[in-house]
Amino acid sequence: MARTVYHIYVVELSKKVFTENRRFREANPQFNGVLQCLYVGMTSKTPTERFEQHKTGYINKKGHKLSANLVEKYGLYLRGSLFHHIAPIPTRAKALKMEEALALELRRQGYAVWFN
């Protein structure tokens, strides 16, 4: 049986998210409008598959919505240059730590970033 690995991915969001979403704006007080708004996530699927799930409002077999509303509404495309250097990660716990680390590093660089 194939072992599950996790991938980190980054989606560029429309800058409308900054003006229309109070929680996003409050999470990014450092944002000056120069760089882009981003969503950082992790998945056991390929980043492309996961992005498609976000954009279609994917609902799983148990009836739970598995897409971030921000990506469904504001997601534009995957930003491969910001995540392709990150190798697949063997555990969910390590992937969650990497997701947070990348998100905080991108915020430090001046991006507006949302992550879970």
Side-chain angles (χ1 to χ4, degrees):
M1 184 172 169
R3 189 163 173 219
T4 301
V5 294
Y6 297 87
H7 304 274
I8 303 300
Y9 63 99
V10 179
V11 175
E12 183 163 327
L13 304 173
S14 165
K15 283 191 178 178
K16 285 182 182 180
V17 70
F18 194 79
T19 56
E20 295 177 4
N21 188 290
R22 178 186 51 80
R23 289 180 65 211
F24 186 90
R25 195 170 43 256
E26 288 173 355
N28 291 283
Q30 84 296 343
F31 187 59
N32 64 12
V34 174
L35 296 177
Q36 290 78 32
C37 297
L38 305 172
Y39 174 86
V40 176
M42 68 99 187
T43 182
S44 61
K45 305 194 174 305
T46 68
T48 301
E49 288 173 311
R50 187 66 184 107
F51 180 68
E52 287 304 313
Q53 286 181 334
H54 279 300
K55 293 305 290 178
T56 60
Y58 180 73
I59 305 219
N60 71 8
K61 292 176 187 171
K62 294 180 181 178
H64 297 113
K65 187 173 180 180
L66 296 182
S67 63
N69 289 331
L70 289 178
V71 179
E72 186 178 348
K73 185 172 182 180
Y74 299 105
L76 301 174
Y77 48 84
L78 289 168
R79 287 287 304 267
S81 64
L82 297 176
F83 68 88
H84 278 159
H85 65 283
I86 301 171
I89 302 166
T91 68
R92 188 174 192 280
K94 287 181 181 179
L96 287 168
K97 286 181 182 176
M98 176 58 75
E99 173 187 326
E100 180 178 14
L102 178 60
L104 295 176
E105 172 58 23
L106 291 169
R107 272 190 189 156
R108 191 189 66 70
Q109 292 175 22
Y111 292 95
V113 183
W114 188 264
F115 66 101
N116 294 323

